[in-house]
Amino acid sequence: MLSDRDFGAEDYEMLLRMDEDNLQPAREAPASDAEIARLPQRTLTTPEEVGTVDGNCSICLEPLGQAGATLRTLPCLHQYHKRCI
């Protein structure tokens, strides 16, 4: 499919315009404070709870699984510290 023809300057310009169109970020309104407050949260109080959480918060990069940490879970199931969200 079109592999037998040479591309010219107009083709290059068209590809640049297409790429610029694809680089525009989606413009969605950020979540309101009320929406964030409705997200599920839990506080890790026991060693068993702490042991169920692995990894770091993607915002502050500190471990999620620490005693006393309060975590929020987003609809996509990613977890973050409550203070970071």
Side-chain angles (χ1 to χ4, degrees):
M1 178 171 129
L2 300 179
S3 61
D4 58 338
R5 77 174 186 92
D6 291 329
F7 287 93
E10 63 280 351
D11 296 312
Y12 179 73
E13 293 299 323
M14 178 193 64
L15 290 172
L16 284 177
R17 283 192 307 278
M18 289 172 58
D19 193 40
E20 287 173 0
D21 291 342
N22 289 332
L23 292 177
Q24 298 299 320
R27 301 283 179 178
E28 292 186 25
S32 68
D33 290 343
E35 292 171 317
I36 292 171
R38 287 194 297 269
L39 291 171
Q41 69 181 33
R42 67 181 176 138
T43 301
L44 306 177
T45 56
T46 67
E48 292 79 23
E49 289 175 316
V50 170
T52 64
V53 180
D54 191 25
N56 295 335
C57 174
S58 297
I59 297 172
C60 70
L61 303 178
E62 293 180 12
L64 289 169
Q66 295 177 337
T70 301
L71 308 179
R72 284 204 190 272
T73 303
L74 275 57
C76 60
L77 303 180
H78 288 103
Q79 294 184 0
Y80 301 89
H81 293 116
K82 178 182 174 182
R83 68 181 183 273
C84 295
I85 292 296

